[in-house]
Amino acid sequence: MQVRLPKNFFMGAAMSGPQTEGAYKKDHRLESFWDHWSDLSISDFYNKVGSYVGNNFYEKYEEDIKLLKSLHLDSFRTSIQWTRLMDQNQKLNPEGATFYHKVCACARDNGIELFMNLYHFDMPYYLFARGGWMNREVVEAYAVYARTAFRTFGKEIRYWFTFNEPIVEPDQEYRHGVWYPFIKDAKMGMQVQYHISLAHSLAVREFYKAKKEGYMLPDAQIGLINAFAPPYTKENPSPADLEAVRMTDGIHNRWWLDLVTSGTLPQDVLDTLEKLGLAPEMRPGDEEILKCGKTDWLGFNYYQPNRVQAPAAKTDEAGYPKFADPYIWPERKMNVYRGWEIYPKGIYDFGMKMKREYPDMKFFISENGMGVEHEDRFRDESGQIQDDYRIEFVEDHLKWVIKAVEEGANCVGYHYWGLIDNWSWANAFKNRYGFVEVDLMDNYSRKLKKSAHWIKNLIEQRDKEDM
Ligand code: BGP
């Protein structure tokens, strides 16, 4: 099957503020959760590279936006850093605002549609120290931040998102305990997940209020981005395997899908959590807040499927009920550098699930990409990285996206993750994702990899056919 991009289908790239900006102390930016963790224990980060550096987007945003345009990409996502836009009194930091105004103006001048996300795992540390997402006051503070952002940039940004992958912090920080503060407490994990759902809903409410009051572009839209990893199990599953799928899908996918499509949380999941003593604490009036969580569309980040089976033990090491164990599919193909399975068909299966179960909800592929270690190995004599594996990865995924679109999935675009190599949380610069290389030894200079030319040609081809 040849990759032929659909008409009226946008092609862009995604990144985030905390992974690219650097300049971590400029503009009176506040300390973030990541800066604090980096200061506390730098050996937790690959090659001891903490959150401070990004890829110097703060200085290079003009060059990067022009680069995007030169590759024929039409849109890109980044995120505002809460720590840069707001001060500790929850008031606008004008210097931070100036930076994002400049980014908006540059995107506009280059004809690039800017998608702006408000939160990418990057809580201001002073709020984290007050309990982070465990604390309802932080939920309120997030709503103030969102309101400020909408009213400050409402006339400059059309596409807004409340959260990127709201499932990640409950999982990484509270359930699996692999990120600071390394907690393994399933009940806390559910409370954090619930509070993030409230924060999302309050932000959506603020968005529509700001729109009604004339602060936003008339066609502005709000969405949520998540890694809705499709769950799979064994070929001949037992009822217990299917139950593992139900709860995995319930907590990771349906939770957010129900919230953005109907302003509710899945009752079967809440009932199970209640029975097991894991239900989050809810307050009177919360239902009304959640009802505001409905969005115009959503972003689907896809890297890998989620294969599960019935758990071997009923409880985890902390004594909390367990819903599933990983299932290793014998035929799986791995991205060994990241430890993630490569399964392009998952992107299609999600599209078909959306068509069947949430037919009115428009979506786009908001992240998809391949991180590879030591890409230097693939440099040719001219000095260019020959990343054929990345071309193959994107091509294989795009084929399945196109098939889903042809079969009626309401998928309207694709963003590659990591146009330009960037800092990746605890993995720092271990795995490189970019179509464009960043040379850390040469003042973050940018160099096109082979894949950059490939994506450019692919889009050029479609544009020629459209003429
Ligand atoms: C997604 C995040 C991104 C990005 C990507 C690659 O989950 O939204 O921020 O980092 O994954 O993952 P990693 O950087 O962990 O390799």
Side-chain angles (χ1 to χ4, degrees), residues 374-389 437 447-451 453:
H374 305 310
E375 281 202 305
D376 244 352
R377 284 174 293 163
F378 303 107
R379 208 180 285 287
D380 68 5
E381 317 76 64
S382 76
Q384 185 179 65
I385 291 175
Q386 302 296 302
D387 52 345
D388 294 275
Y389 41 86
E437 176 191 0
K447 281 194 204 117
L448 301 192
K449 301 180 193 174
K450 183 177 178 184
S451 55
H453 296 282

Side-chain angles (χ1 to χ4, degrees), residues 19 120 164-165 301 303 338 340 367 417 424-425 433:
Q19 291 174 272
H120 205 118
N164 174 77
E165 299 190 356
N301 291 355
Y303 293 91
R338 188 60 184 83
W340 285 350
E367 283 185 31
W417 170 260
S424 273
W425 319 115
Y433 283 85

Side-chain angles (χ1 to χ4, degrees), residues 230-246:
Y232 300 92
T233 188
K234 300 168 183 162
E235 223 163 276
N236 294 306
S238 67
D241 293 325
L242 293 175
E243 177 59 8
V245 170
R246 178 182 74 84

Side-chain angles (χ1 to χ4, degrees), residues 37-52:
W37 179 11
S38 303
D39 283 350
L40 198 72
S41 179
I42 194 65
S43 358
D44 293 345
F45 295 83
Y46 182 78
N47 269 351
K48 301 193 177 170
V49 176
S51 57
Y52 324 118

Side-chain angles (χ1 to χ4, degrees), residues 126-143:
Y126 80 98
L127 291 172
F128 187 80
R130 293 183 196 166
W133 290 120
M134 282 301 288
N135 182 348
R136 287 280 290 225
E137 280 172 31
V138 172
V139 174
E140 300 292 338
Y142 174 78

